[in-house]
Amino acid sequence: MKSESWAIVASILAGVAVVGFFAAPSLLRGPPRDTESLCLKTGAIGHTLVLVDKSDPWSEVQAGRLKRLVKRIGDELPADRMLSIYVFNDVFEPGFPALLSLCNPGRTASELIGNPRRDYVRWVEKFGRPLDDALAVLTQPAKGNLSPIVEAVGDVVSRPETRVREGERSLVLVSDMLQNSSQFTVFGSNAGARDPERLKRLVGKVWRDSGAGAWQLQVHQVQGVYDAQRLEQAGSLWQQTLRGLNIPFVWERL
């Protein structure tokens, strides 16, 4: 009787082993993903959107800091989260394309062979080389007469392709924060220049209409080519505006 019981147990274990053998490749591949973005077919879980203002030139030191910032964001990106990089200059055109938009499929490894998932290898390949290309574009000298920061924010966060079904949304804004457009400017001596209430109305409308309020805002203010006093004035004006609108933010110097 005992031998029969052991035979049954052995038969069950053998069946489990066979199922495991055939299931292992499927498990190692992970859930189905889009071949281009590497995002889950069901959609990304969270989104980190890096928006870079290149309407003014940067120094090599600041360009190096930007590279380190973006690479750190990529290294720390959670599995299944999307990372997008957008850059705008003084010639602002709604719908400008992303330099990079990918999801991190995660590094889960096979306990049997010790190799990372094929999707993760593709992430490293698709993220590493295009990121270097994107950073080369981001750090090229640029100069323009306008700096439509608020308009660019409103444009990118309101797009269907930047929305995610769940997870946190983080907007990383890299700019000297010297807004200069027909809607508001920190330059000039007319009544509208540097008017806190005018900036507050503009930002409030954009945040409300675009859905930017659902994003966690990080601002990395670039020194650029302007003097420290002007940058300090712009930074204070923006921070006053964001606090007045109850928009949480983290403010750092790049």
Side-chain angles (χ1 to χ4, degrees), residues 38-248:
L38 300 180
C39 295
L40 294 169
K41 288 285 189 179
T42 52
I45 301 176
H47 190 179
T48 297
L49 194 158
V50 182
L51 179 61
V52 182
D53 172 11
K54 281 296 295 174
S55 58
D56 289 302
W58 296 2
S59 69
E60 289 187 7
V61 172
Q62 291 152 5
R65 289 174 180 167
L66 172 64
K67 287 184 178 182
R68 290 191 292 273
L69 170 66
V70 175
K71 287 190 174 184
R72 176 171 57 81
I73 290 173
D75 290 341
E76 297 175 356
L77 195 72
D80 299 322
R81 189 177 179 97
M82 180 188 294
L83 170 62
S84 298
I85 302 176
Y86 289 82
V87 59
F88 68 96
N89 54 33
D90 66 320
V91 185
F92 171 71
E93 296 181 2
F96 59 98
L99 285 180
L100 181 73
S101 188
L102 292 171
C103 283
N104 177 12
R107 194 191 289 230
T108 302
S110 164
E111 295 179 358
L112 299 175
I113 59 177
N115 288 333
R117 277 183 182 161
R118 180 182 59 186
D119 286 330
Y120 183 75
V121 175
R122 292 176 60 211
W123 151 262
V124 173
E125 293 173 348
K126 289 171 73 75
F127 178 71
R129 295 191 189 98
L131 177 60
D132 289 339
D133 294 339
L135 289 174
V137 173
L138 292 178
T139 54
Q140 287 174 359
K143 187 169 179 61
N145 296 322
L146 298 176
S147 188
I149 301 166
V150 182
E151 293 88 338
V153 169
D155 182 81
V156 295
V157 301
S158 63
R159 300 181 189 183
E161 63 265 31
T162 61
R163 298 173 189 158
V164 290
R165 61 186 176 90
E166 59 181 292
E168 295 181 349
R169 283 171 279 187
S170 178
L171 173 61
V172 181
L173 178 58
V174 183
S175 170
D176 58 18
M177 301 309 291
L178 296 173
Q179 169 78 21
N180 186 23
S181 72
S182 60
Q183 297 193 77
F184 182 83
T185 179
V186 298
F187 299 98
S189 56
N190 60 57
R194 299 186 298 278
D195 178 3
E197 287 304 315
R198 187 174 179 182
L199 179 61
K200 185 177 179 180
R201 288 193 298 271
L202 173 61
V203 173
K205 183 177 187 308
V206 168
W207 248 247
R208 181 180 64 253
D209 295 349
S210 67
W215 294 73
Q216 298 174 357
L217 177 63
Q218 300 177 33
V219 177
H220 296 264
Q221 189 178 18
V222 183
Q223 181 69 31
V225 296
Y226 295 96
D227 62 83
Q229 183 178 3
R230 183 179 288 277
L231 289 164
E232 187 66 31
Q233 290 173 345
S236 297
L237 180 61
W238 268 96
Q239 291 176 57
Q240 176 185 342
T241 297
L242 294 171
R243 291 192 185 99
L245 292 168
N246 295 318
I247 298 173

